[in-house]
Amino acid sequence: MTILKLISNFLDEEGFSIEPVEGQDVLRTLVGGDNGIWTLIVVIREETHQAIFYSHIESRTTPEHRRGEMCEYLNRINYRTVYGSFEMDMQDGETSFRTALDLEGVEVNGNMIRNALYTNLATMDRYHESLLRMMEDDSPSAAELAAEPVKQTQ
């Protein structure tokens, strides 16, 4: 079975309303956490045996004049993030959290997918509100915002 089919089946069993992207090995779904709503995008690279999970904020982007400050903020929270990383497209200010699976030579199981997926979703939920605040003109500095306690999710 392909990686795309394995992950698609897993997401379906978990109750996600997935939407395949036509002509691509990409799945999309809307996710609602305790602290916001965002899009989960799963990119499958069958030829390299990889699955990449992106929690992507689509509702807003970081304005150009705030991107340097957002980069500092993302760097500060990435430093204390064990698995995955936040990233921002410097061209358009889109912000995402990424986790990935390298599945070459391993037998894929639900626990592997579950761990990558739910770590991704929990991390985005934890920082979602502060990411949106960083996108605002009247936001505290990256250092101030990174020092604030963040909401823990269950």
Side-chain angles (χ1 to χ4, degrees):
M1 188 179 297
T2 66
I3 297 169
L4 179 65
K5 188 68 174 158
L6 285 167
I7 292 179
S8 181
N9 288 348
F10 179 86
L11 292 170
D12 188 51
E13 290 169 9
E14 292 290 302
F16 289 91
S17 178
I18 57 171
E19 154 191 335
V21 175
E22 191 172 331
Q24 299 179 43
D25 287 347
V26 176
L27 305 169
R28 294 172 55 96
T29 188
L30 203 57
V31 177
D34 293 336
N35 300 307
I37 298 172
W38 62 92
T39 302
L40 173 69
I41 301 169
V42 185
V43 177
I44 307 299
R45 296 179 180 159
E46 296 286 351
E47 66 283 352
T48 56
H49 312 283
Q50 297 173 329
I52 305 104
F53 300 87
Y54 293 95
S55 277
H56 178 71
I57 298 174
E58 284 190 348
S59 60
R60 298 195 38 207
T61 60
T62 304
E64 191 169 357
H65 67 279
R66 298 281 303 151
R67 291 181 191 161
E69 194 78 14
M70 177 64 92
C71 283
E72 180 183 341
Y73 181 63
L74 297 178
N75 190 59
R76 287 175 180 275
I77 59 179
N78 279 339
Y79 182 75
R80 60 183 182 232
T81 301
V82 175
Y83 178 56
S85 64
F86 283 96
E87 53 194 38
M88 182 184 60
D89 184 328
M90 290 299 288
Q91 295 296 327
D92 60 19
E94 289 184 352
T95 304
S96 301
F97 183 74
R98 175 177 36 98
T99 54
L101 292 170
D102 180 351
L103 301 168
E104 186 172 11
V106 299
E107 190 171 324
V108 181
N109 64 58
N111 286 335
M112 296 167 72
I113 298 168
R114 180 176 291 106
N115 291 345
L117 170 65
Y118 286 106
T119 296
N120 184 299
L121 299 178
T123 304
M124 176 54 90
D125 196 36
R126 181 178 186 186
Y127 290 102
H128 190 267
E129 287 182 346
S130 65
L131 292 168
L132 293 178
R133 283 183 64 200
M134 252 342 274
M135 294 174 184
E136 298 170 0
D137 284 332
D138 60 347
S139 172
S141 72
E144 291 169 319
L145 198 54
E148 290 181 8
V150 293
K151 293 182 179 179
Q152 298 290 327
T153 56
Q154 306 290 36

